[in-house]
Amino acid sequence: MEDLKDRKWKVLESIYLFRKPWCTVRSECVELPNGNWIPEYFVYEYPNWVNTIAITKDKKFVFVRQYRHGLGMTSFELCAGVCEKEDASPLVSAQRELLEETGFGGGRWSEYMVISVNPSTHTNLTYCYLATDVEPVTSQHLEETEDLTVHLLSSEEVVELLKTDQIKQALHAAALWKYVAENRLI
Amino acid sequence: MEDLKDRKWKVLESIYLFRKPWCTVRSECVELPNGNWIPEYFVYEYPNWVNTIAITKDKKFVFVRQYRHGLGMTSFELCAGVCEKEDASPLVSAQRELLEETGFGGGRWSEYMVISVNPSTHTNLTYCYLATDVEPVTSQHLEETEDLTVHLLSSEEVVELLKTDQIKQALHAAALWKYVAENRLI
C-alpha cells in the first residue's frame, strides 16, 4: 500500500489570482505524466486547521453551534480554528481555540487524525485532537466576528447527530465517526 | 436538537471576484446578528459533488488512486466526481462516475451520507452512495485530464488505510469511518 507510483504534475506556470488572508488562489498551468496539459488549475492556499473532540470528566462532548454562511445554515460542530503564526504547534492552536471558543481546558490531549479538506485543491492539512477530562476553566473569549453557543452533548446525542447528517462539516464527521467506530458507540 | 436559533447573516453587498468553472468566488459584506460586520467574506460556489463506497460481490472495495495537486501527493480515494447539469440526480452522477473511472456498475445503490466539504465557505453538498454487489461491466473511460488507477481492496486494507490517515480526503474518510462503525470492522 506504499506510494508505488508518484504521478506528480509538472507546474509550467503559476500566478496568484488573489493573495488575501482568506482567499489566496493560484492559477497554474500543469502537465500531467500522460503528457496532457491543464491550462488553468486552481490551488487554494490556507494555513493548517485544527479541531478537537473534547470530552468532559462526566463524558459530555463539547460542541459549538454556529451559523455557516457557505451553506446558509446553523449547525453543530466541533470546536475548530486556524493555526496562527504565533502558535508553537497545531496542538497549541487547538488548545487555544477550545479555550477561546468554549472556556474549556485542561485534560489529556492526543493527536487523533490528520486529514485534508480537499487534497485536490487545498494546500493545508487539518489536525484533529482528542482531549479527554477537559473542564471549564474560564469564560468564552470570542472574536467580534464569532457568534456561537456551547453545548455539552451525550454520546447518544452525538451519534444521533451523525446518523442524521447533522454534523455537516466533513472534517468533523470523519473524526467523530472514527471515534464512534473505535469506541463501539453504535 | 432542532435548529433552535437561526443565526443567519444579512448580506449587505455581494460581488463576484471570479466566475470560472472551477473557481467561482463571491466576496460579500455581511452583518452578523450581534450587529458586527465582516466587510469581505469569501464564498466559493460549486455544483454538488458525489462519491461512492462501491463493494463487489466478493466484498472488495473499489478504490482509485491518483495524484492530488493541492497537497502534492498520490493517494487512495473513493471514486468521486461532480454533478453535471445533464445528470438527472446525484445518484445518476455517482453511477456515471463509477462507470467512467473504474468500469464497475450494476449492484444495489442507496444514499449513505450527505455532508459538506466546508459549510462555512462552500455552497455545495456532497452525496455519498453505498453500492453493493457491483461488477466490472466495461473498461475505464477517462477524460484527458484524468490519470488514475483502480484498486480492489479488502476491508482489512481499507481499515489500515483509515487508521494510518492514508485516506486524506475528509469527505471520503467520513463515509468510510461511518461504514467501519456500522459494520463493526474494528
Side-chain angles (χ1 to χ4, degrees), chain A residues 37-84:
Chain A
W37 284 26
I38 302 175
E40 205 171 33
Y41 191 91
F42 300 105
V43 177
Y44 299 82
E45 293 183 10
Y46 288 94
N48 287 337
W49 296 339
V50 292
N51 61 55
T52 303
I53 299 178
I55 306 172
T56 64
K57 285 185 178 169
D58 55 351
K59 309 299 177 200
K60 295 288 189 183
F61 290 70
V62 183
F63 271 73
V64 297
R65 188 161 167 75
Q66 61 186 317
Y67 172 75
R68 291 310 201 173
H69 191 52
L71 278 191
M73 63 180 290
T74 302
S75 56
F76 285 102
E77 295 189 0
L78 295 177
C79 173
V82 168
C83 294
E84 304 285 358

Side-chain angles (χ1 to χ4, degrees), chain B residues 26-154:
Chain B
R26 299 198 306 258
S27 171
E28 299 194 327
C29 175
V30 295
E31 183 182 334
L32 277 59
N34 63 15
N36 289 320
W37 285 26
I38 302 176
E40 205 171 32
Y41 191 90
F42 301 106
V43 177
Y44 299 84
E45 292 184 9
Y46 288 95
N48 287 337
W49 297 338
V50 291
N51 61 55
T52 304
I53 299 178
I55 306 173
T56 65
K57 285 183 179 172
D58 56 348
K59 309 298 177 201
K60 295 288 190 183
F61 290 71
V62 183
F63 271 73
V64 297
R65 188 162 168 74
Q66 60 187 317
Y67 173 73
R68 291 309 201 171
H69 190 53
L71 278 190
M73 63 181 291
T74 302
S75 56
F76 285 101
E77 296 189 358
L78 296 176
C79 174
V82 169
C83 294
E84 303 285 358
K85 278 200 194 94
E86 56 270 27
D87 293 336
S89 69
L91 173 60
V92 168
S93 310
Q95 291 175 328
R96 178 183 50 69
E97 288 287 345
L98 189 70
L99 203 65
E100 287 173 2
E101 289 192 356
T102 73
F104 279 80
R108 290 172 291 116
W109 290 67
S110 58
E111 190 181 284
Y112 196 55
M113 193 179 224
V114 183
I115 56 175
S116 160
V117 66
N118 194 345
S120 62
T121 56
H122 284 49
T123 58
N124 65 329
L125 290 169
T126 296
Y127 291 77
C128 172
Y129 291 90
L130 177 63
T132 52
D133 295 344
V134 299
E135 46 195 354
V137 293
T138 179
S139 56
Q140 268 188 327
H141 291 89
L142 298 180
E143 292 172 43
E144 283 194 355
T145 54
E146 285 180 322
D147 178 36
L148 58 86
T149 49
V150 179
H151 303 261
L152 297 179
L153 306 183
S154 67

Side-chain angles (χ1 to χ4, degrees), chain A residues 1-11 17-18 20-26 28 30 32-34 36-38 40-44 46 49 65-77 111-125 143-147 149 151 153 157-158 160-163 165-171 173-175 177-182 184-186, chain B residues 1-11 17-18 20-26 28 30 32-34 36-38 40-44 46 49 65-77 111-125 143-147 149 151 153 157-158 160-163 165-171 173-175 177-182 184-186:
Chain A
M1 309 288 267
E2 308 93 303
D3 209 340
L4 297 173
K5 198 178 185 186
D6 193 339
R7 308 293 292 165
K8 213 170 180 71
W9 297 348
K10 188 190 288 182
V11 178
L17 296 184
F18 272 97
K20 301 196 177 205
W22 291 98
C23 185
T24 297
V25 187
R26 298 198 306 258
E28 299 195 327
V30 295
L32 276 59
N34 62 15
N36 289 320
W37 284 26
I38 302 175
E40 205 171 33
Y41 191 91
F42 300 105
V43 177
Y44 299 82
Y46 288 94
W49 296 339
R65 188 161 167 75
Q66 61 186 317
Y67 172 75
R68 291 310 201 173
H69 191 52
L71 278 191
M73 63 180 290
T74 302
S75 56
F76 285 102
E77 295 189 0
E111 191 180 284
Y112 196 56
M113 194 179 225
V114 183
I115 57 176
S116 160
V117 67
N118 195 346
S120 63
T121 56
H122 283 49
T123 58
N124 65 327
L125 290 169
E143 293 173 42
E144 283 194 355
T145 54
E146 285 180 322
D147 178 36
T149 49
H151 302 261
L153 306 183
E157 287 173 317
V158 173
E160 182 60 23
L161 288 176
L162 285 169
K163 287 167 83 171
D165 286 350
Q166 290 185 72
I167 306 295
K168 275 276 170 271
Q169 157 63 265
L171 293 158
W177 274 115
K178 177 179 178 180
Y179 188 87
V180 170
E182 287 190 339
R184 298 278 185 113
L185 297 185
I186 59 170
Chain B
M1 309 286 268
E2 308 93 303
D3 209 340
L4 297 174
K5 198 178 183 186
D6 193 339
R7 308 292 291 165
K8 213 169 180 71
W9 297 347
K10 188 190 289 182
V11 178
L17 296 184
F18 272 98
K20 301 195 175 207
W22 292 98
C23 184
T24 297
V25 187
R26 299 198 306 258
E28 299 194 327
V30 295
L32 277 59
N34 63 15
N36 289 320
W37 285 26
I38 302 176
E40 205 171 32
Y41 191 90
F42 301 106
V43 177
Y44 299 84
Y46 288 95
W49 297 338
R65 188 162 168 74
Q66 60 187 317
Y67 173 73
R68 291 309 201 171
H69 190 53
L71 278 190
M73 63 181 291
T74 302
S75 56
F76 285 101
E77 296 189 358
E111 190 181 284
Y112 196 55
M113 193 179 224
V114 183
I115 56 175
S116 160
V117 66
N118 194 345
S120 62
T121 56
H122 284 49
T123 58
N124 65 329
L125 290 169
E143 292 172 43
E144 283 194 355
T145 54
E146 285 180 322
D147 178 36
T149 49
H151 303 261
L153 306 183
E157 287 173 318
V158 173
E160 182 60 24
L161 287 176
L162 284 169
K163 287 167 83 172
D165 286 349
Q166 289 185 73
I167 307 295
K168 276 275 170 271
Q169 158 62 264
L171 293 159
W177 273 116
K178 177 180 178 180
Y179 188 87
V180 170
E182 288 190 339
R184 297 278 185 113
L185 298 186
I186 58 171

Side-chain angles (χ1 to χ4, degrees), chain A residues 138-157:
Chain A
T138 178
S139 57
Q140 269 187 325
H141 290 89
L142 298 180
E143 293 173 42
E144 283 194 355
T145 54
E146 285 180 322
D147 178 36
L148 58 86
T149 49
V150 179
H151 302 261
L152 297 179
L153 306 183
S154 68
S155 65
E156 292 78 12
E157 287 173 317

